Amino acid sequence: RLSASALGSYQTTKSASSNEESISRKNFSIQPAINWKMVQDWTISASYSYNQQDSGTQNGGAVDSNLFMVSINYNWQGLSFSR
C-alpha cells in the first residue's frame, strides 16, 4: 500500500517594537512525504522538508534549509507502551 501526504505553511510576523527598526519576517515551509507499507508490519517512509525565512534586506535577507529523511519502521505487535 502506497500513501502520500503534503503539508505547507506561510506566515508573516512583525515585532511589537514601536521604533523605526521593527523586525518583520516571512516564513515559508513545505513538507511532502511518501509511505510504502511493504507487508503488514514493515513500512518504508521518505520525506523532504524545505523551510525559508526572509527577514528583509536590512536584517540579513533570506535563509533556507533542506532536509531529506528515509526511515524503515517495524511494528512489533507484542510490544506496546502507554502513559
Side-chain angles (χ1 to χ4, degrees):
R1 188 175 85 177
L2 190 65
S3 63
S5 64
L7 298 171
S9 67
Y10 179 78
Q11 178 184 31
T12 60
T13 59
K14 188 171 184 178
S15 66
S17 176
S18 62
N19 63 14
E20 293 179 10
E21 295 184 22
S22 64
I23 299 171
S24 63
R25 291 189 178 101
K26 296 176 185 175
N27 299 298
F28 171 74
S29 176
I30 187 162
Q31 300 162 346
I34 190 165
N35 299 304
W36 178 33
K37 188 172 185 178
M38 299 180 300
V39 292
Q40 182 177 353
D41 296 329
W42 288 92
T43 304
I44 294 178
S45 303
S47 62
Y48 171 73
S49 177
Y50 174 78
N51 297 294
Q52 182 184 57
Q53 183 179 61
D54 188 358
S55 299
T57 56
Q58 294 176 342
N59 299 314
V63 294
D64 60 357
S65 67
N66 294 284
L67 177 65
F68 183 73
M69 297 167 284
V70 175
S71 63
I72 298 173
N73 302 306
Y74 176 71
N75 181 21
W76 186 16
Q77 296 293 327
L79 181 66
S80 65
F81 293 100
S82 62
R83 59 177 197 162

